[in-house]
Amino acid sequence: IIAFNRPKSVLQSNYNSYKSLVKEDEFANQTALIIGGSRGIGEITAKILANGGADVSITYNRGHDDSDRIVSEINSNGGKCKKFKYDVLNDTLQDVNLIKTYTHIYYYATPFIFSGNKDSFSEKLFTTFSKFYISEFYQLVNHFYERKTLKFFYPSTVALDDMFGNMMEYTLAKFSGEKLIDFLQ
């Protein structure tokens, strides 16, 4: 039996702690969509952008309570934020009503990445990572490019440099995702 426990979310700094990092209107021209915005770097991005005046939308898959907390915190402190449930692997963008035009897309969708085995290659795991970091991202870009969104943020990973043994499938998929970015540019 292989089982994974979703770790408890790390409590990020509160919305107001980011105020001193950005000008009040620094991102006022952004209508931002953050795919995977209910935790981690997605949550931090939402708070920074909203502090700078952006109109922010975040998506979540399993982090309903986390997304409620983030939206409430941002909106109650003068920012603009809304949320959508979106499962990258199972929902279409039309299913979740993500048909609005955004000026910026931030892509932080990810499955649990420390699930590999350093002694073998799992084609199934590689396929899952590839869907997240290549095919679904590509579909997202096509969908929003047609709606005139031209700015996409796709984070890299230290795994490309450090080559952790139990992260072969993840590392290969992220490498391929970065090559996809090169082609898209």
Side-chain angles (χ1 to χ4, degrees):
I1 295 175
I2 298 173
F4 297 99
N5 181 22
R6 184 167 192 239
K8 293 194 182 288
S9 60
V10 174
L11 190 59
Q12 304 296 346
S13 298
N14 70 43
Y15 175 76
N16 290 320
S17 69
Y18 297 99
K19 280 196 185 299
S20 64
L21 301 177
V22 295
K23 295 177 193 158
E24 191 173 312
D25 62 349
E26 189 169 344
F27 303 112
N29 64 337
Q30 281 197 35
T31 304
L33 174 62
I34 303 168
I35 305 291
S38 67
R39 288 180 150 201
I41 195 168
E43 175 182 351
I44 294 168
T45 302
K47 290 176 179 179
I48 289 172
L49 291 174
N51 263 295
D55 182 352
V56 176
S57 295
I58 64 172
T59 71
Y60 68 94
N61 181 19
R62 291 175 286 179
H64 179 269
D65 293 344
D66 295 324
S67 65
D68 277 348
R69 177 186 48 76
I70 294 164
V71 169
S72 175
E73 182 180 347
I74 290 173
N75 290 338
S76 66
N77 284 287
K80 292 185 224 170
C81 188
K82 51 191 149 305
K83 66 180 182 117
F84 302 95
K85 180 170 184 353
Y86 177 51
D87 178 346
V88 170
L89 298 182
N90 296 306
D91 295 331
T92 68
L93 295 165
Q94 291 79 8
D95 287 341
V96 291
N97 201 24
L98 295 179
I99 55 176
K100 180 178 175 178
T101 298
Y102 295 92
T103 60
H104 295 73
I105 309 281
Y106 298 82
Y107 190 77
Y108 300 120
T110 192
F112 183 65
I113 63 174
F114 301 103
S115 50
N117 181 339
K118 69 179 183 177
D119 297 326
S120 64
F121 178 82
S122 167
E123 189 169 337
K124 181 178 178 184
L125 185 57
F126 177 69
T127 298
T128 298
F129 286 134
S130 294
K131 284 182 180 177
F132 268 90
Y133 303 128
I134 304 166
S135 57
E136 296 304 319
F137 178 72
Y138 181 75
Q139 287 183 29
L140 181 89
V141 169
N142 281 336
H143 175 84
F144 285 107
Y145 186 77
E146 291 172 0
R147 288 161 178 77
K148 306 298 183 219
T149 300
L150 303 176
K151 297 186 180 185
F152 297 86
F153 179 81
Y154 182 96
S156 187
T157 176
V158 297
L160 295 180
D161 297 325
D162 295 341
M163 304 288 285
F164 303 107
N166 64 336
M167 297 177 67
M168 180 174 27
E169 298 88 351
Y170 166 78
T171 303
L172 292 171
K174 283 294 278 189
F175 176 79
S176 298
E178 289 195 15
K179 289 299 159 192
L180 171 64
I181 300 297
D182 291 341
F183 280 109
L184 293 173
Q185 287 180 2

